[in-house]
Amino acid sequence: MELFCFASNNLTNIWAGIGAGKWAVAETKPADTRARVTKSKRLKIGSLGLLYCKETHSFTTPFLVYSEPDPDQVVTDIWPERWRLPFRIHPLGSPQRQVRMDDAKARWPTLKKSQAPSVTAAMNITGTTVFVPREITPDDWAMILTDLASAF
């Protein structure tokens, strides 16, 4: 299974994206944008996603992808910044539920056995690895849902 993780500077932006049913990535310089457009082609309808909040150092809100990223659209009406490559999401939880980075490392199998230098590197949350999926097991996804998905 592939999991795509996306970072946000704060919970306000996460709430805005969840409310809009949409996610995107921060605008960057043209060369980086071209690389992101290429990498974004890996994100398909039905892909698994997870958000990470830099402000709280926590994972939150697993989701399913409902549309492929649009390389031509710039989003200016959801977040205060300009965001690119928007795609529709179906949240499986709420930002009210969060798992701190250290707790995730202690609980989630994929992070327990990771040799990466940091949790953000292990989950491909850095700017250069946006749209690069992390291979996880069904047990990992089950643990993420147990910790973060809302009961419907």
Side-chain angles (χ1 to χ4, degrees), residues 12-24 66 75 77-79 86-91:
T12 301
N13 281 351
I14 291 175
W15 277 107
I18 297 303
K22 190 178 280 190
W23 198 254
Y66 266 34
V75 180
D77 61 346
I78 297 174
W79 302 281
F87 54 94
R88 306 270 324 147
I89 63 171
H90 178 75

Side-chain angles (χ1 to χ4, degrees), residues 66-83:
Y66 266 34
S67 72
E68 293 179 5
D70 182 344
D72 300 319
Q73 186 179 6
V74 177
V75 180
T76 60
D77 61 346
I78 297 174
W79 302 281
E81 310 87 3
R82 291 168 52 95
W83 288 34

Side-chain angles (χ1 to χ4, degrees), residues 24-53:
V25 295
E27 194 167 54
T28 187
K29 53 189 171 186
D32 291 340
T33 297
R34 284 191 298 278
R36 287 180 174 184
V37 167
T38 299
K39 291 176 187 175
S40 75
K41 293 177 181 170
R42 299 177 187 176
L43 189 74
K44 302 291 183 196
I45 295 171
S47 292
L48 308 177
L50 183 64
L51 299 177
Y52 177 79
C53 180

